Amino acid sequence: MTSISNQLPGYAQYGAAYARAAGSQSSLANILNGTGDDVLPGASNAATNLTLSAQAKAQLASATATKDFTTVISDSRTAIDKLYKAANVSAPYDTSGKPTIDLSSLDRRALYAIASNAGGKFTEAEQNLAAVTRIAGFNAALSPATQTAKLTGNYNAVYKAAADYLDGASAEERATSTWQAERAAVGKGISATQTDPTKIPSGISNDPVAAYLTQYPSGSPIPTQDFASVAKSARAALDAQAKAAAAAGKELVFDPGRKVGQQADLSALSNRDLSAISLNKDNLFSNQETFAAKRELDSRNRASILTALKQSQASGNPADFSLGLLNTYSAMSAEERTATNWTPAFRDHAVQSYKSTTTLLSLLKSG
């Protein structure tokens, strides 16, 4: 996996600035704008590359949400110490200022605990890295919708993506004045872009979306791991399952119709992992494995299309279906698009469908 640590050299020197930014007085808008005392120079260039599937990440988040915050603090401290041990280091940055560990596997509540130095358990440098990871998560959440907005001219979707991201915060983070101010600002942005979706609102205090769009008008870059490395990681994951099955005296099987053997579990693999197996560029996988990966990708593909359709039905706006498809397309890597056959032609048809439907609805309203 491409580590966020590899993307963000030099952040150790910003520990003092981070300490101010990490607590409840921090503002994503200030950080992204690079204004005031809450500046993390270059932090807006951060991006994270999570390899867990959406289902796996949801399960982890759900498990953490049920813990009391004292336990979250303790578990977060333990998680960092394990990362140190695995990397054979004792601090989150080396002497040159390059991060030595990756916090992107931790969920939002754990990151908040570290970022706010909850319980006084975390060093300034650890707080710094957690802040950078938080910004990376925000950037990653807004990037697909921003790319879509460049195609459609609809910035309402970007504000909705920001609202979804902020609404995923823990109760502890929601209680801060910063979260409340930013959520209120995003709410105002949603209202403004409902009136005119083609115009980015201005003059809204604490607006993290406007700050983001100023810096990344076409969406922030999201570094991805070399695809050959993705394939090797996926190979190792399947081999680990095969080894576990063998230890239990079973064969790892990929056909759900097989009555004998241990069924392979592909749910924890990301779409990019599955794409690597499906495309099998380096011939690392068997025909059974590639077929199973394609089947899992098809299932997730159908689920994303269904989600877009349900969102359109819920909003009562048929154009939202095309918008949802475009957001999914924008979130994919090139390899994922190839594996799922989401081609540029498909994208262009979705854009045309969105614009045609929007124009038709506008004519009906004015008629």
Side-chain angles (χ1 to χ4, degrees):
M1 179 178 69
T2 296
S3 166
I4 186 175
S5 304
N6 294 330
Q7 311 299 326
L8 302 168
Y11 270 91
Q13 62 183 300
Y14 302 123
Y18 165 72
R20 293 189 295 271
S24 62
Q25 302 308 310
S26 159
S27 162
L28 271 174
N30 283 349
I31 293 171
L32 289 169
N33 272 326
T35 59
D37 292 331
D38 295 337
V39 180
L40 282 174
S44 54
N45 291 324
T48 184
N49 176 30
L50 302 180
T51 59
L52 292 177
S53 68
Q55 178 182 355
K57 286 185 284 186
Q59 289 172 344
L60 285 174
S62 177
T64 303
T66 61
K67 299 177 183 177
D68 64 81
F69 199 48
T70 301
T71 302
V72 172
I73 296 169
S74 177
D75 288 351
S76 299
R77 177 70 266 167
T78 299
I80 290 179
D81 291 339
K82 286 182 177 179
L83 289 172
Y84 287 154
K85 184 176 181 180
N88 194 27
V89 297
S90 58
Y93 297 92
D94 63 21
T95 56
S96 68
K98 181 179 180 180
T100 59
I101 59 173
D102 183 352
L103 301 183
S104 63
S105 61
L106 302 184
D107 68 13
R108 293 273 297 278
R109 201 170 176 218
L111 285 174
Y112 175 74
I114 301 167
S116 60
N117 193 22
K121 298 290 186 181
F122 307 97
T123 68
E124 190 175 84
E126 289 166 351
Q127 295 167 50
N128 184 10
L129 187 56
V132 171
T133 307
R134 176 176 180 255
I135 294 168
F138 181 79
N139 288 357
L142 266 62
S143 185
T146 302
Q147 294 177 52
T148 297
K150 292 295 291 185
L151 297 170
T152 63
N154 185 339
Y155 288 94
N156 180 255
V158 187
Y159 277 89
K160 286 182 177 178
D164 289 342
Y165 178 84
L166 290 172
D167 289 346
S170 65
E172 294 81 13
E173 187 173 350
R174 286 172 178 242
T176 66
S177 59
T178 295
W179 183 93
Q180 293 165 11
E182 290 180 340
R183 187 60 181 85
V186 169
K188 292 178 182 178
I190 289 175
S191 297
T193 51
Q194 284 174 337
T195 302
D196 184 358
T198 66
K199 182 179 180 182
I200 301 171
S202 60
I204 300 176
S205 299
N206 302 301
D207 184 355
V209 178
Y212 174 87
L213 292 173
T214 297
Q215 189 150 12
Y216 297 113
S218 299
S220 52
I222 302 177
T224 53
Q225 184 184 17
D226 174 74
F227 200 55
S229 298
V230 174
K232 289 178 181 177
S233 296
R235 177 70 271 163
L238 294 181
D239 288 344
Q241 289 194 34
K243 183 177 180 180
K250 297 180 181 179
E251 175 190 4
L252 187 69
V253 297
F254 295 85
D255 182 355
R258 287 279 297 272
K259 302 301 181 183
V260 179
Q262 180 173 306
Q263 285 291 328
D265 181 10
L266 304 183
S267 63
L269 296 179
S270 71
N271 286 358
R272 202 152 186 260
D273 293 328
L274 293 171
S275 297
I277 300 172
S278 175
L279 296 174
N280 198 18
K281 291 185 176 181
D282 296 324
N283 295 315
L284 297 178
F285 306 99
S286 69
N287 289 337
Q288 286 183 322
E289 290 168 337
T290 58
F291 185 79
K294 289 176 182 176
R295 183 173 58 238
E296 177 69 15
L297 275 175
D298 286 344
S299 176
R300 296 184 188 183
N301 212 14
R302 289 192 296 272
S304 66
I305 293 172
L306 183 60
T307 296
L309 179 60
K310 288 181 176 179
Q311 290 173 342
S312 174
Q313 292 172 335
S315 69
N317 185 347
D320 283 350
F321 177 58
S322 297
L323 203 61
L325 294 180
L326 287 168
N327 281 339
T328 299
Y329 179 93
S330 296
M332 291 179 174
S333 67
E335 295 87 2
E336 290 172 65
R337 292 168 186 163
T338 298
T340 55
N341 200 34
W342 284 50
T343 64
F346 173 88
R347 175 203 62 201
D348 293 343
H349 281 303
V351 171
Q352 184 58 47
S353 176
Y354 169 81
K355 292 182 176 179
S356 297
T357 304
T358 301
T359 299
L360 180 61
L361 291 174
S362 178
L363 290 172
L364 289 173
K365 288 180 181 178
S366 61

